[in-house]
Amino acid sequence: SSELTQDPAVSVALGQTVRITCQGDSLRSYYASWYQQKPGQAPVLVIYGKNNRPSGIPDRFSGSSSGNTASLTITGAQAEDEADYYCNSRDSSGNRWVFGGGTKLTVL
Amino acid sequence: QVQLQESGPGLVKPSETLSLTCAVSGYSISSGYYWGWIRQPPGKGLEWIGSIYHSGSTYYNPSLKSRVTISVDTSKNQFSLKLSSVTAADTAVYYCARLWFGESDDAFDIWGQGTMVTVSS
């Protein structure tokens, strides 16, 4: 399968923990990467590989994977974390990339 | 630091060819990495278009493959996108990005700011 499935919307209370998930057959073979996108801005990489954060990404962002599901967890969500989040991975062929449909995170 | 900058016409007529260039600064394309194009229609999600290695090896989204050409010019340190026979469905913000390509993990680690392309007569 070349598809990655995400919940369209998730909400979290300020300071609480939220998990955003991404499902797809290719995730059994390849790690997902995660991108944060705020309105009018380009996406920003927040997690890649097993659980790697680029420089400058707060450590409240973490990643995990089990079977065909990858997860992005925000521990202690902040108001500035309100954004769209996209997962990305190679498809089962190994040489094409696919994005999930995106999850809109609302911080209450 | 590494920066990517897209450039090209903001308006393209239906049935014509969309052409964009991504200029890379702070890093030599010849040194490695893959480079890619991603687009986002207004109000919608991200769609991978294709990726290229500095040697010229390319990978394309199967849904666009018949219309897409991505090329690299190492002498100018830039790579380009051509999308032929465009329709209104190709209206989108087009991003270029650097693709770190690992054995089982990879990531688009640096992105351009994006350029809006509208297909309209």
Side-chain angles (χ1 to χ4, degrees):
Chain A
S1 169
S2 60
E3 294 186 351
L4 296 177
T5 301
Q6 297 182 241
D7 291 329
V10 171
S11 62
V12 60
L14 184 67
Q16 295 304 299
T17 297
V18 62
R19 176 176 293 181
I20 298 170
T21 61
C22 174
Q23 289 188 304
D25 288 344
S26 64
L27 298 178
R28 298 183 185 277
S29 304
Y30 301 103
Y31 288 106
S33 53
W34 291 91
Y35 303 85
Q36 177 192 70
Q37 186 180 35
K38 296 180 179 179
Q41 298 183 17
V44 173
L45 176 66
V46 294
I47 290 289
Y48 67 98
K50 190 173 183 179
N51 182 19
N52 301 303
R53 281 178 290 105
S55 174
I57 301 302
D59 61 4
R60 62 179 179 272
F61 289 89
S62 63
S64 61
S65 183
S66 178
N68 72 337
T69 301
S71 300
L72 171 70
T73 299
I74 307 174
T75 303
Q78 302 299 302
E80 60 264 34
D81 299 334
E82 186 163 288
D84 294 327
Y85 290 86
Y86 294 91
C87 61
N88 173 262
S89 180
R90 280 181 249 179
D91 73 1
S92 299
S93 74
N95 52 23
R96 298 165 187 151
W97 283 261
V98 61
F99 285 92
T103 296
K104 182 176 182 59
L105 176 66
T106 300
V107 179
L108 304 173
Chain B
Q1 74 277 25
V2 182
Q3 292 184 312
L4 283 70
Q5 179 67 58
E6 305 90 349
S7 62
L11 181 64
V12 181
K13 290 181 169 55
S15 79
E16 296 189 345
T17 296
L18 179 160
S19 296
L20 296 174
T21 296
C22 181
V24 180
S25 59
Y27 186 86
S28 172
I29 283 182
S30 299
S31 296
Y33 282 95
Y34 281 75
W35 306 87
W37 288 96
I38 299 104
R39 69 180 183 179
Q40 185 172 36
K44 296 188 178 181
L46 300 170
E47 179 182 33
W48 173 72
I49 299 171
S51 296
I52 189 167
Y53 194 51
H54 68 83
S55 63
S57 299
T58 52
Y59 301 115
Y60 295 135
N61 187 322
S63 68
L64 299 169
K65 186 174 183 178
S66 63
R67 299 193 291 129
V68 172
T69 302
I70 297 176
S71 59
V72 64
D73 186 338
T74 54
S75 67
K76 295 182 178 179
N77 214 42
Q78 65 186 32
F79 60 104
S80 299
L81 168 70
K82 292 187 184 299
L83 181 64
S84 64
S85 304
V86 297
T87 69
D90 295 309
T91 294
V93 175
Y94 285 76
Y95 296 99
C96 60
R98 188 176 77 171
L99 173 61
W100 177 79
F101 194 130
E103 185 172 323
S104 61
D105 58 341
D106 32 63
F108 294 96
D109 63 348
I110 300 174
W111 294 63
Q113 65 184 23
T115 187
M116 181 68 199
V117 179
T118 302
V119 178
S120 175
S121 56

